[in-house]
Amino acid sequence: MAKIIVVTSGKGGVGKTTSAAAIATGLALRGNKTVVIDFDVGLRNLDLIMGCERRVVYDLVNVIQGEAGLNQALIRDKRVDNLHILPASQTRDKDALTNEGVEKVLDSLSEDFDYILCDSPAGIERGAQLAMYFADEAVVVTNPEVSSVRDSDRILGLLASKTRRAERSQDPIKEHLLITRYNPARVDHGDMLNLEDIREILAINLIGLIPESEAVLRASNQGIPVTHDANSDAGQAYTDTVSRLLGEEVPLRFHEYQKKSLLSRVFGGGRR
Amino acid sequence: MKLLDFLRGERKKSASVAKERLQIIVAHQRSQRDQPDYMPMLERELLEVIRRYVKVDQDAINISLDRDDDCSVLELNVTLPRS
Ligand SMILES: Nc1ncnc2c1ncn2[C@@H]1O[C@H](COP(=O)(O)OP(=O)(O)OP(=O)(O)O)[C@@H](O)[C@H]1O
Ligand SMILES: [Mg+2]
């Protein structure tokens, strides 16, 4: 039985796809059989971030509509054993995904995989609700910014009411807060919400903190999830996040502002 | 130094203003979470009716539904301006 984890946020562009790719990669690197599914129908992007865009033949909608088998649509990751990608369709028909269809796909993936990650589209409409509906756990991606925090709270409301676990009165979905694009320098200056404030407002468990990092754009340029960039702050922060998802206790990093000394400023000693 | 302090204080404020605003809006969102879908509409229409008689602001009206096992209580609070 696989664990189903939805990566969601409400607000767009906060780092869901980046995080889904990075976490899926991290889970697979730790030996877990993992599949990451792009639920963003019409706006396929996970394939680019995972670097497999030229190997997409069939997609989630093809499988649901019976035009392809699951094994034909699953793409095996080039770098990590145990890691598979199920791309989204580029169709403009938003109703191409059905509840029953998604359930069937997840059920059969469940037999073979340890973890199923669902990369949710932005918003709170059907697509986002479908991505979260069957989840056991949710990673709520939040930027230190008012609209992102507010939208995350809306998503928490949906997770608690519009999901299978909620409708069946089963144990609620385990909610995790993932703060991304955190800039300790700006927090130190007082012009960015700090992590304690965000955690207090949303009142859920913090699973990780990813700093604003140049490594993320570098990673997406190359189609190599940032987890592979083991020297980078963001790569390490995602690796920590994965460890915590696996139940390990790992101290928080990259949340404190290191004031550059005059010397390092003069000699340009970068931090990464 | 004074100017620096001033600027710094000013900047400190933007994050804490954000926090305060979020605490209020999130508390409001949460209070509405389990409410039936007709509540926003009901609230709007009640406000309209009240406005026919008194000039009140949008946020002067507060409506909530408390559910017990066997009955629900609709609570309506309206802050009227001092006349
Ligand atoms: N930690 C980070 N540091 C710097 N840039 C980041 C970070 N995380 C994400 N980004 C950038 O933010 C942008 C949006 O990221 P991403 O596509 O992962 O968001 P998303 O939530 O999936 O968006 P959408 O809602 O459109 O699906 C990308 O350009 C990405 O490179
Ligand atoms: Mg995305």
Side-chain angles (χ1 to χ4, degrees):
Chain A
M1 265 304 270
K3 201 171 257 178
I4 303 176
I5 305 178
V6 60
V7 181
T8 183
S9 70
K11 188 169 162 63
V14 296
K16 291 179 294 296
T17 301
T18 303
S19 299
I23 292 170
T25 300
L27 284 169
L29 284 171
R30 295 284 304 265
N32 300 287
K33 228 182 152 202
T34 305
V35 56
V36 55
I37 308 177
D38 192 345
F39 272 83
D40 208 340
V41 171
L43 283 174
R44 170 158 85 208
N45 273 326
L46 180 69
D47 55 340
L48 273 178
I49 303 302
M50 297 293 300
C52 64
E53 70 278 6
R54 297 182 52 188
R55 291 191 291 145
V56 175
V57 183
Y58 294 110
D59 56 56
L60 180 57
V61 170
N62 292 139
V63 176
I64 285 176
Q65 297 185 339
E67 295 153 4
L70 201 44
N71 286 327
Q72 289 174 285
L74 282 176
I75 302 172
R76 183 185 287 273
D77 189 74
K78 277 183 296 209
R79 294 179 186 83
V80 195
D81 285 345
N82 294 330
L83 181 57
H84 288 76
I85 300 107
L86 185 53
S89 156
Q90 288 289 47
T91 170
R92 268 171 296 168
D93 179 10
K94 291 277 175 198
D95 295 326
L97 292 188
T98 59
N99 227 320
E100 301 71 36
V102 170
E103 180 172 24
K104 250 184 159 169
V105 169
L106 292 177
D107 278 349
S108 38
L109 288 173
S110 262
E111 290 170 17
D112 289 333
F113 287 89
D114 301 316
Y115 285 93
I116 301 174
L117 266 89
C118 304
D119 178 19
S120 173
I124 56 170
E125 301 303 318
R126 221 180 107 73
Q129 293 197 19
L130 212 49
M132 70 169 66
Y133 188 76
F134 299 98
D136 301 305
E137 302 191 14
V139 172
V140 180
V141 181
T142 307
N143 289 168
E145 181 266 319
V146 282
S147 48
S148 174
V149 177
R150 178 196 202 168
D151 292 356
S152 290
D153 181 69
R154 289 293 301 280
I155 282 294
L156 290 174
L158 292 182
L159 286 168
S161 62
K162 297 270 195 288
T163 50
R164 180 164 70 176
R165 281 176 174 272
E167 284 173 4
R168 294 191 179 167
S169 307
Q170 293 168 325
D171 288 342
I173 290 179
K174 214 168 166 187
E175 302 153 341
H176 308 284
L177 172 63
L178 180 64
I179 301 176
T180 62
R181 310 201 69 162
Y182 196 73
N183 186 332
R186 301 200 70 182
V187 171
D188 188 70
H189 281 123
D191 56 12
M192 181 178 271
L193 284 162
N194 74 42
L195 78 115
E196 288 306 332
D197 291 346
I198 302 170
R199 178 153 59 175
E200 186 188 322
I201 290 162
L202 293 177
I204 57 171
N205 161 57
L206 182 73
I207 196 79
L209 178 123
I210 316 298
E212 172 79 25
S213 168
E214 291 168 14
V216 172
L217 183 58
R218 246 189 345 253
S220 73
N221 283 341
Q222 296 172 289
I224 305 174
V226 71
T227 321
H228 286 293
D229 189 353
N231 292 321
S232 69
D233 47 2
Q236 293 173 16
Y238 275 116
T239 299
D240 288 356
T241 302
V242 167
S243 301
R244 293 189 199 101
L245 272 174
L246 293 170
E248 293 159 27
E249 271 189 41
V250 182
L252 215 56
R253 292 194 273 175
F254 312 113
H255 58 294
E256 271 161 355
Y257 176 50
Q258 256 110 41
K259 285 199 175 66
K260 279 194 185 148
S261 68
L262 186 61
L263 224 67
S264 73
R265 249 187 254 176
V266 171
F267 294 105
R271 266 207 305 144
R272 279 176 318 98
Chain B
M1 200 61 218
K2 257 218 173 114
L3 181 67
L4 248 177
D5 277 354
F6 172 74
L7 288 174
R8 209 179 150 72
E10 215 43 10
R11 282 205 234 97
K12 274 240 184 302
K13 254 197 346 247
S14 96
S16 46
V17 169
K19 184 187 179 185
E20 282 162 27
R21 292 173 60 215
L22 274 169
Q23 279 172 323
I24 293 167
I25 194 69
V26 165
H28 180 69
Q29 276 180 187
R30 292 196 173 183
S31 70
Q32 293 190 327
R33 239 185 223 176
D34 306 318
Q35 301 203 335
D37 293 339
Y38 60 74
M39 287 294 275
M41 195 64 186
L42 178 60
E43 187 168 338
R44 257 196 308 276
E45 288 187 27
L46 281 170
L47 186 67
E48 254 170 52
V49 173
I50 292 166
R51 272 184 173 164
R52 271 184 227 148
Y53 301 88
V54 213
K55 251 190 107 190
V56 293
D57 286 339
Q58 179 76 42
D59 56 1
I61 177 168
N62 190 346
I63 167 172
S64 69
L65 190 69
D66 284 324
R67 260 175 292 196
D68 268 338
D69 287 341
D70 46 347
C71 74
S72 301
V73 177
L74 184 73
E75 197 179 289
L76 176 68
N77 277 299
V78 188
T79 318
L80 298 179
R82 212 170 297 188
S83 53

Coordinates of all heavy atoms in Angstrom, one line a residue, chain A residues 180-231:
Chain A
T180 N 8.7 27.8 1.5 CA 9.7 27.9 0.5 C 10.0 29.4 0.1 O 9.2 30.3 0.5 CB 9.3 27.2 -0.8 OG1 8.1 27.8 -1.3 CG2 9.0 25.7 -0.6
R181 N 11.1 29.6 -0.6 CA 11.6 30.9 -1.0 C 11.8 31.9 0.2 O 11.5 33.0 0.2 CB 10.6 31.6 -2.0 CG 10.2 30.6 -3.1 CD 9.7 31.3 -4.3 NE 10.8 32.1 -4.9 CZ 10.8 32.5 -6.2 NH1 9.7 32.3 -6.9 NH2 11.8 33.2 -6.7
Y182 N 12.3 31.3 1.3 CA 12.5 32.0 2.5 C 13.8 32.8 2.4 O 14.8 32.3 2.0 CB 12.6 31.0 3.7 CG 12.5 31.6 5.0 CD1 11.2 32.0 5.5 CD2 13.6 31.7 5.9 CE1 11.1 32.6 6.8 CE2 13.4 32.2 7.2 CZ 12.2 32.6 7.6 OH 12.1 33.1 8.9
N183 N 13.8 34.0 2.8 CA 14.9 34.9 2.7 C 15.3 35.4 4.1 O 14.7 36.4 4.5 CB 14.7 36.0 1.7 CG 15.9 36.9 1.4 OD1 16.8 37.0 2.3 ND2 15.9 37.5 0.2
P184 N 16.2 34.8 4.7 CA 16.6 35.1 6.1 C 17.0 36.6 6.3 O 16.7 37.2 7.3 CB 17.7 34.2 6.5 CG 17.6 33.0 5.5 CD 17.0 33.6 4.3
A185 N 17.7 37.1 5.3 CA 18.1 38.5 5.4 C 16.9 39.5 5.4 O 16.9 40.4 6.3 CB 19.0 38.9 4.2
R186 N 15.9 39.2 4.6 CA 14.8 40.1 4.6 C 13.9 39.9 5.9 O 13.3 40.8 6.4 CB 13.9 39.8 3.4 CG 14.6 40.0 2.1 CD 13.7 40.3 1.0 NE 13.0 41.5 1.1 CZ 12.0 42.0 0.3 NH1 11.7 41.2 -0.8 NH2 11.5 43.1 0.4
V187 N 13.9 38.6 6.4 CA 13.2 38.4 7.7 C 13.9 39.2 8.8 O 13.3 39.8 9.6 CB 13.3 36.9 8.0 CG1 12.8 36.6 9.4 CG2 12.4 36.1 7.0
D188 N 15.3 39.1 8.7 CA 16.1 39.9 9.7 C 15.8 41.4 9.7 O 15.7 42.0 10.7 CB 17.6 39.6 9.5 CG 18.4 40.2 10.6 OD1 18.3 39.6 11.7 OD2 19.1 41.2 10.4
H189 N 15.5 41.9 8.5 CA 15.2 43.3 8.3 C 13.8 43.6 8.8 O 13.4 44.7 8.8 CB 15.4 43.7 6.9 CG 16.8 44.0 6.5 ND1 17.4 43.3 5.5 CD2 17.7 44.8 7.0 CE1 18.7 43.7 5.4 NE2 18.9 44.6 6.3
G190 N 13.0 42.6 8.9 CA 11.6 42.8 9.4 C 10.7 43.0 8.2 O 9.5 43.5 8.4
D191 N 11.1 42.8 7.0 CA 10.1 43.0 5.9 C 9.8 41.7 5.2 O 9.3 41.7 4.1 CB 10.6 44.1 4.9 CG 12.0 43.8 4.3 OD1 12.4 42.6 4.5 OD2 12.5 44.7 3.7
M192 N 10.0 40.6 5.9 CA 9.4 39.3 5.5 C 8.9 38.6 6.7 O 9.6 38.5 7.7 CB 10.4 38.5 4.7 CG 9.9 37.2 4.2 SD 11.2 36.2 3.3 CE 10.9 36.8 1.6
L193 N 7.7 37.9 6.6 CA 7.2 37.1 7.7 C 8.2 36.1 8.1 O 8.8 35.4 7.3 CB 5.9 36.4 7.2 CG 4.6 37.3 7.1 CD1 3.6 36.5 6.2 CD2 4.0 37.6 8.4
N194 N 8.4 35.9 9.4 CA 9.3 34.9 9.8 C 8.6 33.5 10.0 O 7.4 33.5 10.0 CB 10.1 35.3 11.0 CG 9.3 35.3 12.3 OD1 8.5 34.3 12.5 ND2 9.5 36.3 13.1
L195 N 9.4 32.5 10.1 CA 8.8 31.2 10.0 C 7.9 30.9 11.3 O 6.9 30.2 11.1 CB 9.9 30.1 9.9 CG 10.7 29.7 11.0 CD1 10.5 28.2 11.4 CD2 12.2 29.8 10.7
E196 N 8.3 31.5 12.4 CA 7.4 31.3 13.6 C 6.1 31.9 13.4 O 5.1 31.3 13.8 CB 8.1 31.9 14.8 CG 9.3 31.2 15.3 CD 9.1 29.7 15.6 OE1 7.9 29.3 15.9 OE2 10.0 28.9 15.5
D197 N 6.0 33.0 12.8 CA 4.7 33.7 12.5 C 3.9 32.8 11.6 O 2.7 32.6 11.9 CB 4.9 35.1 11.9 CG 5.6 36.1 12.9 OD1 5.6 35.8 14.1 OD2 6.1 37.1 12.4
I198 N 4.5 32.3 10.6 CA 3.7 31.5 9.6 C 3.2 30.3 10.3 O 2.0 29.9 10.1 CB 4.6 31.2 8.4 CG1 5.1 32.5 7.7 CG2 3.8 30.3 7.4 CD1 6.1 32.2 6.6
R199 N 4.1 29.7 11.0 CA 3.7 28.4 11.7 C 2.5 28.7 12.7 O 1.6 27.9 12.8 CB 4.9 27.8 12.4 CG 4.6 26.6 13.2 CD 5.7 25.7 13.3 NE 6.9 26.3 14.0 CZ 8.0 25.6 14.3 NH1 8.1 24.4 14.0 NH2 9.0 26.3 14.9
E200 N 2.7 29.8 13.4 CA 1.6 30.2 14.4 C 0.3 30.4 13.7 O -0.8 29.9 14.2 CB 2.1 31.4 15.1 CG 1.2 31.8 16.3 CD 1.6 33.2 16.9 OE1 2.9 33.4 16.9 OE2 0.7 33.9 17.2
I201 N 0.3 31.1 12.6 CA -0.9 31.5 11.9 C -1.6 30.2 11.3 O -2.8 30.0 11.5 CB -0.7 32.5 10.8 CG1 -0.3 33.9 11.5 CG2 -1.9 32.7 9.9 CD1 0.3 34.8 10.5
L202 N -0.8 29.4 10.7 CA -1.4 28.2 10.1 C -1.6 27.0 11.0 O -2.4 26.1 10.8 CB -0.6 27.8 8.9 CG -0.6 28.8 7.7 CD1 0.3 28.3 6.6 CD2 -2.0 29.0 7.2
A203 N -0.9 27.1 12.1 CA -1.0 26.1 13.2 C -0.9 24.6 12.7 O -1.7 23.8 13.0 CB -2.3 26.3 13.9
I204 N 0.1 24.4 11.8 CA 0.3 23.0 11.4 C 1.8 22.7 11.6 O 2.6 23.7 11.6 CB -0.1 22.6 10.0 CG1 0.5 23.5 9.0 CG2 -1.7 22.6 9.9 CD1 0.2 23.0 7.5
N205 N 2.2 21.4 11.5 CA 3.6 21.0 11.7 C 4.5 21.4 10.6 O 4.2 21.2 9.4 CB 3.5 19.5 11.9 CG 4.9 18.9 11.7 OD1 5.8 19.2 12.3 ND2 4.9 18.0 10.7
L206 N 5.6 22.0 10.9 CA 6.6 22.4 9.9 C 7.4 21.3 9.5 O 8.1 20.7 10.3 CB 7.5 23.6 10.4 CG 8.5 24.2 9.5 CD1 7.8 25.0 8.4 CD2 9.5 25.0 10.2
I207 N 7.4 20.9 8.2 CA 8.1 19.8 7.7 C 9.5 20.2 7.0 O 10.4 19.4 6.9 CB 7.3 18.9 6.7 CG1 7.9 17.5 6.5 CG2 7.1 19.6 5.3 CD1 7.6 16.6 7.5
G208 N 9.5 21.5 6.7 CA 10.8 21.9 6.1 C 10.8 23.4 5.7 O 9.7 24.0 5.7
L209 N 11.9 23.9 5.5 CA 12.1 25.3 5.1 C 13.1 25.4 4.0 O 14.3 25.0 4.2 CB 12.6 26.1 6.4 CG 12.8 27.6 6.1 CD1 11.9 28.5 7.0 CD2 14.2 28.0 6.2
I210 N 12.7 25.9 2.9 CA 13.6 26.0 1.7 C 13.9 27.4 1.5 O 13.0 28.3 1.3 CB 12.9 25.4 0.4 CG1 12.2 24.1 0.7 CG2 13.9 25.2 -0.7 CD1 13.0 22.9 1.2
P211 N 15.2 27.8 1.5 CA 15.5 29.2 1.3 C 15.4 29.6 -0.2 O 15.4 28.7 -1.1 CB 17.0 29.2 1.7 CG 17.5 27.8 1.4 CD 16.4 26.9 1.7
E212 N 15.2 30.9 -0.4 CA 15.2 31.4 -1.7 C 16.6 31.1 -2.2 O 17.6 31.4 -1.6 CB 15.0 32.9 -1.7 CG 15.2 33.7 -3.0 CD 14.0 33.6 -3.9 OE1 12.9 33.3 -3.4 OE2 14.2 33.7 -5.1
S213 N 16.7 30.5 -3.4 CA 18.0 30.0 -3.8 C 18.3 30.0 -5.3 O 17.4 29.7 -6.1 CB 18.2 28.5 -3.3 OG 19.3 27.9 -3.9
E214 N 19.4 30.4 -5.7 CA 19.8 30.4 -7.1 C 19.8 29.0 -7.7 O 19.7 28.8 -8.9 CB 21.1 31.1 -7.3 CG 21.1 32.6 -7.0 CD 22.5 33.2 -7.0 OE1 23.4 32.6 -7.4 OE2 22.5 34.4 -6.5
A215 N 20.1 28.0 -6.8 CA 20.2 26.7 -7.2 C 18.9 26.1 -7.9 O 18.9 25.3 -8.7 CB 20.6 25.8 -6.1
V216 N 17.8 26.7 -7.5 CA 16.5 26.2 -8.0 C 16.3 26.5 -9.5 O 15.9 25.6 -10.3 CB 15.3 26.8 -7.2 CG1 14.0 26.4 -7.8 CG2 15.3 26.3 -5.8
L217 N 16.6 27.7 -9.9 CA 16.6 28.1 -11.3 C 17.6 27.3 -12.1 O 17.3 26.8 -13.2 CB 16.8 29.6 -11.5 CG 16.7 30.1 -12.9 CD1 15.3 29.8 -13.5 CD2 16.9 31.6 -13.0
R218 N 18.8 27.1 -11.5 CA 19.8 26.3 -12.2 C 19.3 24.9 -12.5 O 19.4 24.3 -13.5 CB 21.1 26.3 -11.4 CG 22.2 27.0 -12.0 CD 23.6 26.8 -11.3 NE 23.5 26.3 -9.9 CZ 23.8 27.0 -8.8 NH1 24.1 28.3 -8.9 NH2 23.8 26.4 -7.6
A219 N 18.7 24.4 -11.4 CA 18.1 23.0 -11.5 C 17.0 22.9 -12.6 O 17.0 22.0 -13.4 CB 17.6 22.5 -10.1
S220 N 16.1 23.9 -12.6 CA 15.0 23.8 -13.6 C 15.6 24.0 -15.0 O 15.1 23.4 -15.9 CB 13.9 24.7 -13.2 OG 14.2 26.0 -13.5
N221 N 16.6 24.9 -15.1 CA 17.2 25.0 -16.5 C 17.7 23.7 -17.0 O 17.5 23.4 -18.2 CB 18.4 26.0 -16.3 CG 18.0 27.4 -16.2 OD1 16.9 27.8 -16.6 ND2 18.9 28.3 -15.7
Q222 N 18.2 22.9 -16.1 CA 18.8 21.7 -16.6 C 17.9 20.5 -16.6 O 18.2 19.4 -17.1 CB 20.1 21.4 -15.7 CG 21.1 22.4 -15.8 CD 22.2 22.2 -14.7 OE1 22.0 22.4 -13.5 NE2 23.4 21.7 -15.2
G223 N 16.8 20.6 -15.9 CA 15.9 19.5 -15.8 C 16.4 18.4 -14.8 O 16.2 17.2 -15.0
I224 N 17.1 18.9 -13.8 CA 17.6 18.0 -12.8 C 17.1 18.5 -11.4 O 17.5 19.6 -11.0 CB 19.2 18.0 -12.7 CG1 19.7 17.7 -14.1 CG2 19.7 17.0 -11.7 CD1 21.2 17.9 -14.2
P225 N 16.2 17.7 -10.8 CA 15.6 18.2 -9.5 C 16.7 18.6 -8.6 O 17.8 18.0 -8.5 CB 14.9 17.0 -9.0 CG 14.5 16.2 -10.2 CD 15.6 16.4 -11.2
V226 N 16.5 19.7 -7.8 CA 17.5 20.4 -7.0 C 18.1 19.5 -5.9 O 19.2 19.8 -5.4 CB 17.0 21.7 -6.5 CG1 15.9 21.5 -5.4 CG2 18.1 22.7 -6.0
T227 N 17.4 18.4 -5.6 CA 17.9 17.5 -4.6 C 19.2 16.9 -5.0 O 20.1 16.6 -4.2 CB 16.9 16.3 -4.4 OG1 15.5 16.9 -4.5 CG2 17.1 15.6 -3.1
H228 N 19.4 16.8 -6.3 CA 20.7 16.3 -6.8 C 21.9 17.2 -6.6 O 23.0 16.8 -6.6 CB 20.6 15.9 -8.3 CG 19.8 14.7 -8.6 ND1 20.2 13.4 -8.3 CD2 18.6 14.6 -9.2 CE1 19.3 12.6 -8.7 NE2 18.3 13.2 -9.3
D229 N 21.6 18.5 -6.4 CA 22.6 19.5 -6.2 C 22.9 19.5 -4.7 O 22.5 20.4 -4.0 CB 22.1 20.9 -6.7 CG 23.2 21.9 -6.7 OD1 24.3 21.6 -6.2 OD2 23.0 23.0 -7.1
A230 N 23.7 18.5 -4.3 CA 23.9 18.2 -2.9 C 24.7 19.3 -2.2 O 24.7 19.4 -0.9 CB 24.5 16.9 -2.7
N231 N 25.4 20.2 -2.9 CA 26.1 21.2 -2.3 C 25.3 22.5 -2.1 O 25.7 23.4 -1.4 CB 27.3 21.6 -3.2 CG 28.3 20.5 -3.2 OD1 28.6 19.8 -2.2 ND2 28.9 20.2 -4.4

